[in-house]
Amino acid sequence: MPLTPFSINVPRALTWDASSRTLCILDQRRLPGEVVQVELRTLDAVDDAIRSLAVRGAPAIGVAAALGLVAAFSHGEIPSRDALLAGIDRLSASRPTAVNLPWAMARLRRVVDAGDIGGAERLDALAAEAERILAEDEAMCFAIGQHGAALIPDGARVLTHCNAGALATAGIGTALAPVYTAVAAGRRVSVIADETRPLLQGSRITAWELTQTGVPVTVCTDGMAASLMREGAVDLVIVGADRIAANGDVANKIGTYSLAVAARHHGLPFYVAAPTSTIDAATPDGAAIPIEQRDADEVRRFGTRQLVPTLALVYNPAFDVTPSALVTAIVTNAGIWRPPYRFSP
Ligand code: MRU
């Protein structure tokens, strides 16, 4: 029996009501302590939710921006073409590294640029395109799970970083999709979630998501991962991606590169799982991927508590690049790719 995408009850990053054109997101800044849904009704709210990581993860921000644009323009006067294009430009720029965001926005721009329709009809066409982006993302996650489950044997102890689960997508996730699919097929799988400094997407979000689904999860701090590998406590590493260059270099949450180096040293497979919407064949290699630099206070403080002396400088890149030579395979909705990677447009 094929697994239907939600036969495992995963939490959802966002929900869309097509009849009222209402977008709600799960506010991921508040996990795991509070589970709060927030409606995004304006461009400001959508932009802020993406920048502040209330909604996050490469596929989810593309889908949220597309649906959010439609929601923001659906509860007032019919927007002009210029207002729509300005909204698209604004949301495209809300985060720089995940290519899914400009990819989704480019699809909406093509609808606006079509020129042969206007007014309410144009908004209807935009809604239809945003809903296709949502449905495609769900389907791509499902397909990643189907392909990737072959890499997860019975008894596997899987280490992952950040959150590339359901909460980073509109479906069952990317890196966690093979895990859910293997579990649904009856395999015993457990996950080690890297804490993922500085914003703790691993301990706050991945561990919460997995506990909701009943998959056993253990949290480790980022600095423990290599040591766990040496102790033989890890069978494979699987992570998501924010952008994959034409040569297979992978941008993902800061700390991913260290894991790939450690996995290679310990002879462990290092897999990347991502939808084809994350492949940017126009970017030749990782050096050309824009890396988001975030506010130093994310490292300096935790809530009201200061963690770094005032006179110390801090680095806070949100992502790093893992060279394709360290990537054992890339699992996409289209199948499993192995080196040498050559993605073409
Ligand atoms: O800063 P975030 O939380 O948006 O970073 C997310 C990641 O790095 C994920 O691993 C990546 O987007 C893949 S999500 C399927």
Side-chain angles (χ1 to χ4, degrees):
M1 263 293 271
L3 172 76
T4 58
F6 291 99
S7 67
I8 288 189
N9 204 10
V10 297
R12 305 195 75 136
L14 46 86
T15 49
W16 173 247
D17 184 285
S19 54
S20 62
R21 292 192 182 153
T22 303
L23 174 65
C24 285
I25 58 151
L26 176 62
D27 186 344
Q28 297 188 34
R29 294 167 300 189
R30 298 163 80 162
L31 291 174
E34 295 173 283
V35 181
V36 177
Q37 303 285 333
V38 180
E39 187 188 338
L40 303 181
R41 286 184 72 89
T42 63
L43 269 189
D44 282 350
V46 178
D47 189 48
D48 179 65
I50 294 173
R51 286 177 192 276
S52 68
L53 312 195
V55 60
R56 33 75 39 213
I61 60 177
V63 174
L67 295 171
L69 184 100
V70 173
F73 283 111
S74 289
H75 300 105
E77 283 175 19
I78 301 287
S80 67
R81 180 176 175 279
D82 286 350
L84 287 168
L85 289 176
I88 288 170
D89 286 345
R90 178 173 177 194
L91 295 183
S92 286
S94 53
R95 291 191 77 189
T97 302
V99 75
N100 308 63
L101 184 55
W103 171 85
M105 293 293 96
R107 285 179 60 164
L108 295 195
R109 190 176 290 113
R110 280 197 287 279
V111 172
V112 177
D113 281 342
D116 49 350
I117 50 169
E121 220 186 329
R122 181 161 53 206
L123 205 51
D124 290 347
L126 277 173
E129 184 67 350
E131 285 163 12
R132 270 191 291 275
I133 291 170
L134 169 72
E136 285 170 25
D137 192 60
E138 273 189 70
M140 287 192 285
C141 290
F142 178 62
I144 289 169
Q146 297 289 306
H147 292 297
L151 304 173
I152 316 276
D154 187 37
R157 295 155 305 167
V158 176
L159 187 117
T160 191
H161 190 64
C162 193
N163 173 265
L167 292 177
T169 69
I172 61 170
T174 62
L176 294 188
V179 170
Y180 291 136
T181 309
V183 169
R187 278 171 243 162
R188 291 157 301 167
V189 183
S190 58
V191 173
I192 299 167
D194 239 6
E195 179 185 42
T196 315
R197 280 281 292 156
L199 296 180
L200 311 182
Q201 287 94 330
S203 55
R204 292 189 306 104
I205 302 173
T206 296
W208 183 79
E209 177 179 325
L210 288 167
T211 55
Q212 296 300 299
T213 59
V215 176
V217 58
T218 305
V219 173
C220 71
T221 65
D222 300 358
M224 293 173 188
S227 170
L228 287 172
M229 291 178 191
R230 193 176 58 191
E231 286 168 19
V234 177
D235 297 305
L236 62 101
V237 180
I238 185 162
V239 298
D242 282 80
R243 195 184 290 235
I244 300 174
N247 72 342
D249 289 351
V250 174
N252 191 49
K253 178 56 56 192
I254 188 77
T256 301
Y257 173 48
S258 323
L259 279 184
V261 170
R264 175 59 55 91
H265 181 74
H266 293 94
L268 295 172
F270 179 87
Y271 300 121
V272 172
T276 42
S277 52
T278 301
I279 297 172
D280 178 10
T283 294
D285 56 36
I289 298 177
I291 298 295
E292 177 181 8
Q293 302 292 327
R294 291 187 64 87
D295 196 306
D297 270 359
E298 292 180 349
V299 175
R300 282 183 187 285
R301 305 186 170 279
F302 199 76
T304 54
R305 175 135 187 242
Q306 185 169 341
L307 303 177
V308 176
T310 309
L311 293 182
L313 304 176
V314 300
Y315 287 120
N316 191 19
F319 302 100
D320 59 24
V321 172
T322 298
S324 60
L326 295 177
V327 179
T328 310
I330 298 177
V331 185
T332 74
N333 44 294
I336 298 182
W337 302 73
R338 296 197 183 258
Y341 305 105
R342 282 192 201 91
F343 297 109
S344 47

